[in-house]
Amino acid sequence: MKAVRGVTFDLYKGETLAIVGESGCGKSVTSQSIMRLIPNPPGKIVHGSILFRGNDLTKLKEPQMRNIRGADISMIFQDPMTALNPTITVGEQIIEGILQHESITRQEAKKKALEMLDLVGIPNPKERLKHHPHQFSGGMRQRIVIAMALVCQPEVLIADEPTTALDVTIQAQILDLFKDIQKKTGVSIILITHDLGVVAQVADRIAVMYAGKIVEAGSRREIFYNPQHPYTKGLLNSVPRLDLEGAELIPIGGTPPDLFSPPKGCPFTARCSYAMEVCDRVYPFKTYLSNEHHVDCWLQDERATKILASMK
Ligand code: SF4
């Protein structure tokens, strides 16, 4: 299965890039590829490069990657309970993480752990270091996971659906925490989510994924106020609007294509009410609508008719 097919994006210092799309579109495989966490076999990165500080991460040996993971690029997963070891105190888990990457004493590591728990808003951190994960609420556990991810001051934080397992009040607190931490540390964040409400609150730029490809990308303003890909428009139309009384939700009909045999043309063809003959036959070129805003859709490309004519 080709879960990710030619995805390309940049991540700038101190920004939050949100990667959005429905389940199975390749968001998580993209982030796991950056961390080189795709189990091989059966998965593999067939070609392309992932450039970080001048190194191509796809070419590094596993011990080099181990030094980067957690120290320079960190990851937060959806469910804080599975990310923490239930049998070890949170203090031990954070300290262990620090000692793996930094040559400092245990006492210095403990001091760092305390500072980090304080930064993520855990009250009474000195006492709380001695507690096990089950002694914390879901929101507090996610704060601890965030503390563990940030304790070595990574340059990049990848957060894969970090608020999905939390209720909305806690979700809002965690998103505020992300913004606060980014302001204090300057970390760049890749936020993987299917929740456009979350994206609207924290993202600087947005990449919309569909069937293993980025089909549209742009600034938050461009994607929310001037979406151009029919799939992006469909996603936005299917979000509940509390400001429009009686407004109906418009779901996107149909299902994504089978990525065991991905279509040759635009993968959205079968679900798109604007689909043309060319769409099914050739994958659209990337069309730039501004420096940041680009879209893969024949509707935006005047070459569509020429290409079709040349095929007849
Ligand atoms: Fe629809 Fe064609 Fe655009 Fe694909 S390329 S989104 S099928 S109009």
Side-chain angles (χ1 to χ4, degrees):
M1 174 188 265
K2 293 174 182 166
V4 172
R5 306 184 293 143
V7 159
T8 295
F9 61 85
D10 296 308
L11 178 69
Y12 305 129
K13 192 164 174 51
E15 76 159 349
T16 299
L17 170 75
I19 301 183
V20 293
E22 61 198 284
S23 299
C25 70
K27 314 181 292 282
S28 295
V29 176
T30 301
S31 59
Q32 286 164 17
S33 302
I34 297 170
M35 294 292 274
R36 290 261 307 273
L37 287 175
I38 302 283
N40 179 2
K44 66 178 170 202
I45 299 172
V46 185
H47 60 84
S49 53
I50 301 165
L51 301 176
F52 175 71
R53 285 196 190 146
N55 286 320
D56 182 353
L57 300 186
T58 64
K59 306 255 171 358
L60 296 187
K61 300 252 180 293
E62 183 48 32
Q64 292 171 294
M65 233 7 251
R66 226 174 285 138
N67 287 337
I68 288 180
R69 259 185 238 122
D72 299 312
I73 307 178
S74 263
M75 191 155 181
I76 298 171
F77 296 94
Q78 193 178 113
D79 181 1
M81 211 42 198
T82 49
L84 293 166
N85 185 333
T87 63
I88 305 175
T89 64
V90 298
E92 272 311 307
Q93 295 185 56
I94 302 175
I95 291 167
E96 194 184 306
I98 300 171
L99 293 176
Q100 248 173 36
H101 292 289
E102 295 182 25
S103 329
I104 56 176
T105 65
R106 201 171 175 78
Q107 217 36 43
E108 286 165 331
K110 188 174 175 188
K111 190 165 164 265
K112 273 189 109 171
L114 278 172
E115 285 167 5
M116 198 40 75
L117 284 193
D118 194 37
L119 181 74
V120 298
I122 303 280
N124 193 8
K126 209 167 172 185
E127 221 18 63
R128 293 301 248 164
L129 269 187
K130 299 175 202 154
H131 290 175
H132 288 80
H134 74 271
Q135 293 170 286
F136 293 83
S137 66
M140 285 294 167
R141 279 198 290 265
Q142 194 59 307
R143 283 174 192 265
I144 289 163
V145 172
I146 295 171
M148 282 172 73
L150 291 172
V151 78
C152 293
Q153 288 125 19
E155 281 188 53
V156 178
L157 176 67
I158 302 174
D160 190 355
E161 306 269 7
T163 57
T164 305
L166 307 172
D167 66 53
V168 277
T169 336
I170 307 298
Q171 176 174 307
Q173 291 173 9
I174 295 292
L175 293 178
D176 282 345
L177 177 63
F178 272 125
K179 284 193 267 185
D180 191 39
I181 283 173
Q182 193 169 47
K183 221 184 277 170
K184 285 180 183 152
T185 63
V187 65
S188 308
I189 300 176
I190 298 177
L191 179 68
I192 310 283
T193 182
H194 63 272
D195 187 336
L196 288 168
V198 168
V199 172
Q201 285 181 62
V202 293
D204 296 303
R205 286 188 307 127
I206 300 168
V208 180
M209 275 193 84
Y210 185 76
K213 286 182 175 284
I214 290 181
V215 293
E216 183 166 10
S219 67
R220 176 173 53 175
R221 174 160 280 279
E222 285 164 333
I223 297 298
F224 275 96
Y225 293 105
N226 187 28
Q228 291 302 322
H229 196 285
Y231 178 63
T232 314
K233 290 181 187 175
L235 276 184
L236 292 168
N237 284 337
S238 58
V239 174
R241 293 278 305 266
L242 297 180
D243 55 329
L244 299 179
E245 205 178 319
E248 286 189 18
L249 289 183
I250 309 166
I252 305 173
T255 48
D258 178 3
L259 291 183
F260 279 105
S261 57
K264 222 166 83 189
C266 170
F268 196 55
T269 309
R271 305 171 82 183
C272 179
S273 40
Y274 304 95
M276 303 167 280
E277 208 185 330
V278 66
C279 303
D280 199 25
R281 301 227 212 146
V282 190
Y283 187 81
F285 299 130
K286 203 174 281 314
T287 304
Y288 277 87
L289 308 164
S290 75
N291 278 349
E292 297 288 356
H293 193 181
H294 58 80
V295 61
D296 293 3
C297 175
W298 284 122
L299 283 180
Q300 304 299 325
D301 196 325
E302 56 197 21
R303 288 166 292 184
T305 43
K306 268 192 210 156
I307 299 240
L308 192 57
S310 72
M311 294 177 75
K312 283 185 173 162

Short mmCIF file of all heavy atoms in Angstrom, two decimals, residues 210 215 228-232 265-280 282-285 295-300, ligand 1:
data_model
loop_
_atom_site.label_atom_id
_atom_site.label_comp_id
_atom_site.label_asym_id
_atom_site.label_seq_id
_atom_site.Cartn_x
_atom_site.Cartn_y
_atom_site.Cartn_z
N TYR A 210 -4.97 14.18 1.37
CA TYR A 210 -6.02 13.28 0.89
C TYR A 210 -5.36 12.15 0.11
O TYR A 210 -4.54 12.41 -0.78
CB TYR A 210 -7.02 14.04 -0.01
CG TYR A 210 -8.19 13.17 -0.41
CD1 TYR A 210 -9.20 12.87 0.49
CD2 TYR A 210 -8.26 12.60 -1.68
CE1 TYR A 210 -10.26 12.05 0.14
CE2 TYR A 210 -9.31 11.77 -2.04
CZ TYR A 210 -10.31 11.50 -1.12
OH TYR A 210 -11.35 10.69 -1.46
N VAL A 215 -3.02 17.92 -0.94
CA VAL A 215 -3.78 18.43 -2.08
C VAL A 215 -3.94 19.95 -2.04
O VAL A 215 -4.22 20.58 -3.05
CB VAL A 215 -5.17 17.75 -2.20
CG1 VAL A 215 -5.02 16.28 -2.54
CG2 VAL A 215 -6.00 17.93 -0.93
N GLN A 228 -9.55 26.33 -2.01
CA GLN A 228 -9.74 26.16 -3.44
C GLN A 228 -9.94 24.71 -3.86
O GLN A 228 -10.52 24.45 -4.90
CB GLN A 228 -8.53 26.74 -4.21
CG GLN A 228 -8.45 28.25 -4.12
CD GLN A 228 -9.71 28.93 -4.66
OE1 GLN A 228 -10.29 28.50 -5.64
NE2 GLN A 228 -10.16 29.98 -3.97
N HIS A 229 -9.45 23.77 -3.07
CA HIS A 229 -9.63 22.37 -3.47
C HIS A 229 -11.02 21.91 -3.01
O HIS A 229 -11.41 22.16 -1.87
CB HIS A 229 -8.54 21.50 -2.81
CG HIS A 229 -8.41 20.16 -3.45
ND1 HIS A 229 -9.32 19.15 -3.24
CD2 HIS A 229 -7.49 19.67 -4.32
CE1 HIS A 229 -8.95 18.08 -3.95
NE2 HIS A 229 -7.85 18.38 -4.61
N PRO A 230 -11.77 21.23 -3.89
CA PRO A 230 -13.11 20.78 -3.48
C PRO A 230 -13.09 19.93 -2.21
O PRO A 230 -14.04 19.97 -1.43
CB PRO A 230 -13.58 19.95 -4.68
CG PRO A 230 -12.88 20.58 -5.84
CD PRO A 230 -11.52 20.98 -5.32
N TYR A 231 -12.00 19.19 -1.97
CA TYR A 231 -11.94 18.40 -0.74
C TYR A 231 -11.83 19.30 0.49
O TYR A 231 -12.49 19.09 1.50
CB TYR A 231 -10.76 17.42 -0.79
CG TYR A 231 -10.63 16.62 0.48
CD1 TYR A 231 -11.63 15.76 0.89
CD2 TYR A 231 -9.50 16.76 1.30
CE1 TYR A 231 -11.53 15.04 2.07
CE2 TYR A 231 -9.39 16.04 2.48
CZ TYR A 231 -10.41 15.18 2.86
OH TYR A 231 -10.31 14.49 4.03
N THR A 232 -10.99 20.35 0.40
CA THR A 232 -10.86 21.29 1.52
C THR A 232 -12.20 21.96 1.78
O THR A 232 -12.64 22.10 2.93
CB THR A 232 -9.80 22.38 1.20
OG1 THR A 232 -8.65 21.76 0.68
CG2 THR A 232 -9.43 23.19 2.41
N GLY A 265 -5.23 9.40 -11.83
CA GLY A 265 -5.57 10.83 -11.84
C GLY A 265 -5.78 11.37 -10.45
O GLY A 265 -5.16 10.89 -9.48
N CYS A 266 -6.64 12.37 -10.34
CA CYS A 266 -6.92 12.96 -9.03
C CYS A 266 -7.69 11.95 -8.17
O CYS A 266 -8.73 11.44 -8.59
CB CYS A 266 -7.76 14.23 -9.22
SG CYS A 266 -8.39 14.87 -7.66
N PRO A 267 -7.20 11.67 -6.96
CA PRO A 267 -7.85 10.64 -6.13
C PRO A 267 -9.22 11.06 -5.63
O PRO A 267 -9.97 10.23 -5.11
CB PRO A 267 -6.87 10.46 -4.97
CG PRO A 267 -6.08 11.71 -4.92
CD PRO A 267 -6.01 12.24 -6.32
N PHE A 268 -9.57 12.35 -5.79
CA PHE A 268 -10.86 12.83 -5.30
C PHE A 268 -11.96 12.73 -6.37
O PHE A 268 -13.12 13.03 -6.10
CB PHE A 268 -10.71 14.28 -4.80
CG PHE A 268 -11.84 14.74 -3.93
CD1 PHE A 268 -12.21 14.04 -2.80
CD2 PHE A 268 -12.54 15.90 -4.24
CE1 PHE A 268 -13.26 14.46 -1.99
CE2 PHE A 268 -13.58 16.34 -3.44
CZ PHE A 268 -13.95 15.62 -2.31
N THR A 269 -11.58 12.30 -7.58
CA THR A 269 -12.51 12.32 -8.72
C THR A 269 -13.87 11.71 -8.41
O THR A 269 -14.91 12.32 -8.68
CB THR A 269 -11.88 11.57 -9.93
OG1 THR A 269 -10.57 12.09 -10.15
CG2 THR A 269 -12.71 11.78 -11.19
N ALA A 270 -13.87 10.52 -7.80
CA ALA A 270 -15.14 9.81 -7.59
C ALA A 270 -16.08 10.56 -6.63
O ALA A 270 -17.28 10.32 -6.62
CB ALA A 270 -14.86 8.41 -7.06
N ARG A 271 -15.52 11.47 -5.82
CA ARG A 271 -16.36 12.16 -4.82
C ARG A 271 -16.57 13.63 -5.17
O ARG A 271 -17.21 14.36 -4.42
CB ARG A 271 -15.67 12.08 -3.45
CG ARG A 271 -15.35 10.68 -3.01
CD ARG A 271 -14.49 10.66 -1.76
NE ARG A 271 -15.25 10.82 -0.55
CZ ARG A 271 -14.72 10.89 0.66
NH1 ARG A 271 -13.42 10.81 0.82
NH2 ARG A 271 -15.48 11.03 1.72
N CYS A 272 -16.00 14.06 -6.29
CA CYS A 272 -15.95 15.50 -6.57
C CYS A 272 -17.07 15.90 -7.53
O CYS A 272 -17.19 15.34 -8.63
CB CYS A 272 -14.59 15.85 -7.17
SG CYS A 272 -14.43 17.59 -7.57
N SER A 273 -17.87 16.89 -7.15
CA SER A 273 -18.97 17.28 -8.04
C SER A 273 -18.48 18.18 -9.18
O SER A 273 -19.26 18.52 -10.06
CB SER A 273 -20.08 17.96 -7.23
OG SER A 273 -19.54 18.80 -6.27
N TYR A 274 -17.21 18.55 -9.17
CA TYR A 274 -16.66 19.37 -10.27
C TYR A 274 -15.82 18.54 -11.23
O TYR A 274 -15.20 19.08 -12.15
CB TYR A 274 -15.76 20.49 -9.73
CG TYR A 274 -16.44 21.38 -8.72
CD1 TYR A 274 -16.32 21.13 -7.36
CD2 TYR A 274 -17.20 22.47 -9.13
CE1 TYR A 274 -16.95 21.94 -6.43
CE2 TYR A 274 -17.83 23.28 -8.20
CZ TYR A 274 -17.70 23.01 -6.86
OH TYR A 274 -18.32 23.81 -5.94
N ALA A 275 -15.75 17.23 -10.99
CA ALA A 275 -14.79 16.39 -11.76
C ALA A 275 -14.99 16.52 -13.27
O ALA A 275 -16.12 16.56 -13.76
CB ALA A 275 -14.92 14.94 -11.33
N MET A 276 -13.86 16.59 -13.98
CA MET A 276 -13.89 16.69 -15.45
C MET A 276 -13.20 15.44 -16.01
O MET A 276 -12.63 14.66 -15.26
CB MET A 276 -13.14 17.95 -15.89
CG MET A 276 -13.70 19.22 -15.28
SD MET A 276 -12.61 20.63 -15.49
CE MET A 276 -11.42 20.38 -14.19
N GLU A 277 -13.21 15.35 -17.33
CA GLU A 277 -12.64 14.15 -17.94
C GLU A 277 -11.15 14.00 -17.61
O GLU A 277 -10.66 12.90 -17.33
CB GLU A 277 -12.83 14.25 -19.46
CG GLU A 277 -12.93 12.89 -20.13
CD GLU A 277 -13.00 13.05 -21.64
OE1 GLU A 277 -13.53 14.07 -22.12
OE2 GLU A 277 -12.49 12.13 -22.33
N VAL A 278 -10.46 15.14 -17.61
CA VAL A 278 -9.01 15.10 -17.37
C VAL A 278 -8.68 14.59 -15.95
O VAL A 278 -7.64 13.96 -15.72
CB VAL A 278 -8.38 16.50 -17.61
CG1 VAL A 278 -8.87 17.51 -16.58
CG2 VAL A 278 -6.87 16.45 -17.62
N CYS A 279 -9.58 14.86 -15.00
CA CYS A 279 -9.30 14.56 -13.59
C CYS A 279 -9.00 13.08 -13.37
O CYS A 279 -8.10 12.70 -12.62
CB CYS A 279 -10.47 14.96 -12.71
SG CYS A 279 -10.90 16.69 -12.86
N ASP A 280 -9.78 12.25 -14.03
CA ASP A 280 -9.66 10.81 -13.85
C ASP A 280 -8.39 10.25 -14.49
O ASP A 280 -7.88 9.22 -14.10
CB ASP A 280 -10.90 10.16 -14.50
CG ASP A 280 -11.11 8.77 -13.99
OD1 ASP A 280 -10.65 8.49 -12.88
OD2 ASP A 280 -11.72 7.96 -14.72
N VAL A 282 -5.27 12.19 -15.41
CA VAL A 282 -3.94 12.73 -15.06
C VAL A 282 -4.01 13.41 -13.70
O VAL A 282 -4.96 14.16 -13.43
CB VAL A 282 -3.49 13.79 -16.11
CG1 VAL A 282 -2.03 14.17 -15.90
CG2 VAL A 282 -3.74 13.32 -17.52
N TYR A 283 -2.99 13.16 -12.87
CA TYR A 283 -2.95 13.85 -11.58
C TYR A 283 -2.65 15.34 -11.83
O TYR A 283 -1.75 15.68 -12.60
CB TYR A 283 -1.89 13.24 -10.65
CG TYR A 283 -1.98 13.85 -9.27
CD1 TYR A 283 -2.93 13.40 -8.37
CD2 TYR A 283 -1.19 14.93 -8.90
CE1 TYR A 283 -3.09 13.98 -7.12
CE2 TYR A 283 -1.34 15.53 -7.66
CZ TYR A 283 -2.29 15.06 -6.78
OH TYR A 283 -2.45 15.66 -5.56
N PRO A 284 -3.41 16.25 -11.20
CA PRO A 284 -3.20 17.69 -11.47
C PRO A 284 -1.82 18.19 -11.03
O PRO A 284 -1.26 17.69 -10.06
CB PRO A 284 -4.31 18.37 -10.66
CG PRO A 284 -4.80 17.35 -9.70
CD PRO A 284 -4.51 16.01 -10.25
N PHE A 285 -1.31 19.20 -11.77
CA PHE A 285 -0.06 19.85 -11.36
C PHE A 285 -0.35 20.74 -10.15
O PHE A 285 -1.50 21.10 -9.91
CB PHE A 285 0.48 20.75 -12.49
CG PHE A 285 0.80 20.00 -13.74
CD1 PHE A 285 0.31 20.44 -14.97
CD2 PHE A 285 1.59 18.86 -13.73
CE1 PHE A 285 0.61 19.77 -16.14
CE2 PHE A 285 1.88 18.17 -14.90
CZ PHE A 285 1.38 18.63 -16.11
N VAL A 295 -2.39 24.43 -4.63
CA VAL A 295 -3.46 23.45 -4.71
C VAL A 295 -3.22 22.51 -5.89
O VAL A 295 -2.69 22.93 -6.92
CB VAL A 295 -4.83 24.19 -4.83
CG1 VAL A 295 -4.92 25.05 -6.07
CG2 VAL A 295 -6.00 23.22 -4.78
N ASP A 296 -3.54 21.22 -5.68
CA ASP A 296 -3.46 20.25 -6.77
C ASP A 296 -4.87 20.01 -7.28
O ASP A 296 -5.58 19.12 -6.78
CB ASP A 296 -2.90 18.90 -6.26
CG ASP A 296 -1.45 18.99 -5.84
OD1 ASP A 296 -0.88 20.09 -5.87
OD2 ASP A 296 -0.89 17.93 -5.47
N CYS A 297 -5.32 20.82 -8.23
CA CYS A 297 -6.68 20.66 -8.76
C CYS A 297 -6.75 21.25 -10.16
O CYS A 297 -6.31 22.38 -10.38
CB CYS A 297 -7.68 21.36 -7.83
SG CYS A 297 -9.36 21.32 -8.48
N TRP A 298 -7.31 20.48 -11.08
CA TRP A 298 -7.39 20.95 -12.48
C TRP A 298 -8.26 22.18 -12.62
O TRP A 298 -8.12 22.94 -13.57
CB TRP A 298 -7.91 19.82 -13.39
CG TRP A 298 -6.90 18.77 -13.70
CD1 TRP A 298 -6.98 17.45 -13.44
CD2 TRP A 298 -5.64 18.96 -14.36
NE1 TRP A 298 -5.86 16.80 -13.86
CE2 TRP A 298 -5.02 17.71 -14.43
CE3 TRP A 298 -4.97 20.08 -14.87
CZ2 TRP A 298 -3.77 17.53 -15.02
CZ3 TRP A 298 -3.72 19.90 -15.45
CH2 TRP A 298 -3.13 18.65 -15.52
N LEU A 299 -9.18 22.41 -11.67
CA LEU A 299 -10.05 23.59 -11.77
C LEU A 299 -9.23 24.88 -11.77
O LEU A 299 -9.64 25.89 -12.30
CB LEU A 299 -11.00 23.65 -10.57
CG LEU A 299 -12.20 22.73 -10.54
CD1 LEU A 299 -12.98 22.95 -9.26
CD2 LEU A 299 -13.09 22.94 -11.75
N GLN A 300 -8.06 24.82 -11.13
CA GLN A 300 -7.21 26.01 -11.00
C GLN A 300 -6.16 26.09 -12.09
O GLN A 300 -5.34 27.00 -12.10
CB GLN A 300 -6.49 25.99 -9.63
CG GLN A 300 -7.39 25.89 -8.44
CD GLN A 300 -8.32 27.08 -8.38
OE1 GLN A 300 -7.95 28.19 -8.74
NE2 GLN A 300 -9.54 26.85 -7.95
FE1 SF4 B 1 -12.26 17.66 -8.47
FE2 SF4 B 1 -10.85 17.43 -10.70
FE3 SF4 B 1 -10.09 19.15 -8.86
FE4 SF4 B 1 -9.82 16.54 -8.46
S1 SF4 B 1 -8.76 17.77 -10.00
S2 SF4 B 1 -10.58 18.01 -7.02
S3 SF4 B 1 -11.65 15.76 -9.42
S4 SF4 B 1 -11.98 19.20 -10.04
#
